[in-house]
Amino acid sequence: MPTNAEIAASLTAIADLLDITGANSFKVNAYRKAARVAESEAQDLATLAAADPSALRKIEGFGESIAAKIVEQVTTHRIAELERLRGEVPSGLLELLTLQGVGPKTVHLFWSKAGVTDLASLKSAIDSGALASIDRMGEKTVENLRTAIAAREAAGAQPTRFRLGQAVPIAESMLAVLRSTRGVHRAAFAGSARRGRETVGDLDLLVSCDDHDAVRQAFLSLPFIDRVLAHGDTRCAALLVGGMQVDLRIVDDEVFGAALLYFTGSKDHNVFLRERAIAAKMRLNEYGLHQAPEGTDGPVGALVAARTEESIYAALGLHVLPPELREIHGGDCEHPVPDLVDTAHVRAELHAHTTASDGSLTIHELASLAVSRGFHTLAITDHSKASAQANGLSVERLHRHIDAIRAAQADFPTLRLLAGSEVDILADGRLDYDDDTLALLDVVVASPHAALRQEPATATKRLLRAIAHPLVHIIGHPTGRILLGREGLAPDMHEVTAAAAESGTALEVNCHWSRLDLRDIHVKLAVAAGALVAIDCDIHGAEDADNLRYGVATARRGGLTRQSCVNTWEQSALLAWLKDKKSTRGAGATR
Ligand code: DGT
Ligand code: CA
Ligand code: CA
Ligand code: ZN
């Protein structure tokens, strides 16, 4: 059965193809909206449609005709309308959509006004001047197109998105160089990376300075630049070794806030802010918030705000929306923003491996690392026996490991060391250790590691069983997905989060940037259900502790508050939760 992402991709494909044929934009927008809804819907749409085809209609954004298309894809694995459109539109035109700055409406113009059908004919149309003669196709647009084609050709078959934890360190090392460049006032990354999205299409850097030349020189001589795509006075672009694109904007310091706001996006949030500005008789763009023009198309009026994001939100009468909320929460920042969890609040790591299973640190090294982070609690949670490939511990080895953890405690007066385990949730939801063994542990993280392709309904039952187990404290990386690698389980997350809230079991946001599991939309459901969430680095080596920020960003995107995150609690509250949960053992649990 198709995944939500596959359904979203089909809906987007229909929208793109309709747009390219010049179809009515209401119809096109309905498909685009439905694609966004499908992508951020936490329930498995195929499961929903298979159980009751009319259920889809209840989801806001799916009209009758679109719901029917989804049912068609679920039941027949094809959508006749999509195939008809594919027959009508030359396939080479779709490739043009991957060019930066080129959308389907532009492709419609290329096709209908200049007879362009693929990349090769687009290049000839540029060279012959045929393109420049199309209405609304200025010289600047054609120049941008050349840049985009160069980028496309240089990137070749590289992946089109990169994982947050791979992009952010590169962005920061580039910013460090730019910040030390002469005349630079402020430098930041914007775009999807600043919103903490799990993958980024390209990096957007922003610098304010007195000397554009110096910044451009510094940028162009950064290490790992493979190929320069553009080097203008206010915009540079380059491809890095590995294929990621970096866009740099150079602005005056007075407008840094406006540019940061604009280039942070999301596009939907920008649209919301612009409309808000218009309603208040103002205009907002990347150069600032201005009074509206006097006449219908005169120049904009006086500058209202531009130096900081805060000043712009304030002038619009809005609360500042943290960047992580500028995407899935859409535009809504009229209400006070919740007290989101922050990296500085985290005082405990509850998922860490030592050399006893597949970690590279000893108990003592891990504990020293936790102390250096200012943590008050660390749980040692090595793998259980079913994870043989990760050197999971037999019951006998676990007994000795618990003793070693208890013995190490004496050396760390400021840190509470907990003896735990990351216990496999077997395919049917049973746990990999018997209850008497689990009862010896201070903390049990139960995680799925194998059988990650099971049907959604089976996966739901599996997780519900583990959640209801009274000796389980935390469900580790609940779906087992690997970003850009493996889909993982697709359980009904409404049921999973409701059950977690009911039993007081925490759901983990695994901070590793290849997991980020729970993902943002699942965190949002957990928050809505009132479930507890654990944000853990799943430490296997010292560097993993630095991934905390990615897990926190994911949690913030889902709207997680400090109160609902167990890692932020005072030690006494955390220990009380761990102990109390165990003592309800046997109270009506299904085993
Ligand atoms: P990505 O790179 O695909 O992960 O996603 P973003 O959000 O970083 O997108 P990008 O790099 O194309 O543009 C960065 C931001 O600039 C975007 O979030 C909002 C703003 N922006 C760029 N193009 C447009 C546009 O055509 N309209 C509006 N409203 N905003 C735009
Ligand atoms: Ca970007
Ligand atoms: Ca960009
Ligand atoms: Zn683990």
Side-chain angles (χ1 to χ4, degrees), residues 351 353 381 383 422 447 449 477 510 538 540:
H351 184 168
H353 300 265
T381 58
H383 285 285
E422 183 185 16
S447 314
H449 286 113
H477 47 72
N510 190 293
D538 190 0
H540 286 78

Coordinates of all heavy atoms in Angstrom, one line a residue, residues 351 353 381 383 422 447 449 477 510 538 540, ligand 4:
H351 N 19.4 7.4 27.4 CA 19.6 6.4 26.4 C 21.1 6.4 25.9 O 21.4 7.3 25.1 CB 18.6 6.6 25.2 CG 18.7 5.6 24.1 ND1 17.7 5.5 23.1 CD2 19.5 4.5 23.9 CE1 18.0 4.5 22.3 NE2 19.1 3.9 22.7
H353 N 24.8 3.9 25.2 CA 25.4 2.6 25.1 C 26.9 2.6 25.5 O 27.6 3.6 25.2 CB 25.3 2.1 23.7 CG 23.9 2.0 23.2 ND1 23.2 0.8 23.3 CD2 23.0 2.9 22.7 CE1 21.9 1.0 22.8 NE2 21.8 2.3 22.5
T381 N 22.1 2.3 28.9 CA 21.1 1.4 28.4 C 21.7 0.6 27.2 O 21.4 1.0 26.0 CB 19.9 2.2 27.9 OG1 20.3 3.2 26.9 CG2 19.2 3.0 29.0
H383 N 22.2 -2.7 24.7 CA 21.2 -3.5 23.9 C 20.9 -4.8 24.6 O 21.7 -5.3 25.4 CB 21.8 -3.8 22.5 CG 21.7 -2.6 21.6 ND1 20.6 -2.2 21.0 CD2 22.7 -1.8 21.1 CE1 20.8 -1.1 20.3 NE2 22.1 -0.9 20.3
E422 N 18.3 -0.9 26.7 CA 17.5 -0.7 25.6 C 17.0 -2.1 25.1 O 17.8 -2.8 24.5 CB 18.2 0.0 24.5 CG 17.3 0.3 23.3 CD 18.0 0.9 22.1 OE1 19.2 0.9 21.9 OE2 17.2 1.4 21.2
S447 N 12.7 -0.5 22.4 CA 12.8 0.0 21.0 C 12.6 -1.1 20.0 O 13.0 -2.2 20.2 CB 14.1 0.6 20.7 OG 14.6 1.4 21.8
H449 N 13.8 -2.8 16.6 CA 15.0 -2.8 15.8 C 14.9 -3.7 14.6 O 15.5 -3.4 13.6 CB 16.2 -3.3 16.7 CG 16.7 -2.3 17.6 ND1 16.6 -2.5 19.0 CD2 17.3 -1.1 17.5 CE1 17.1 -1.4 19.6 NE2 17.6 -0.6 18.7
H477 N 13.2 5.4 19.7 CA 12.9 5.6 18.2 C 11.7 4.8 17.7 O 11.9 3.8 17.0 CB 14.2 5.3 17.4 CG 14.9 4.1 17.7 ND1 14.5 2.8 17.4 CD2 16.1 3.9 18.3 CE1 15.4 1.9 17.8 NE2 16.4 2.5 18.4
N510 N 14.6 10.6 19.2 CA 16.0 10.2 19.1 C 16.7 11.2 18.4 O 16.3 11.6 17.2 CB 16.0 8.8 18.4 CG 17.4 8.2 18.4 OD1 18.3 8.7 17.9 ND2 17.5 7.1 19.1
D538 N 20.9 8.8 22.4 CA 21.2 7.4 22.0 C 22.8 7.3 21.8 O 23.2 7.0 20.7 CB 20.5 7.1 20.7 CG 20.5 5.6 20.4 OD1 21.2 4.8 21.1 OD2 19.9 5.2 19.3
H540 N 26.4 6.5 21.3 CA 27.3 5.4 21.0 C 28.7 5.8 21.1 O 29.6 5.1 21.3 CB 26.9 4.8 19.6 CG 25.7 3.9 19.6 ND1 24.4 4.5 19.6 CD2 25.5 2.6 19.7 CE1 23.5 3.5 19.6 NE2 24.1 2.4 19.6
Ligands
ZN4 ZN 20.0 2.7 21.3

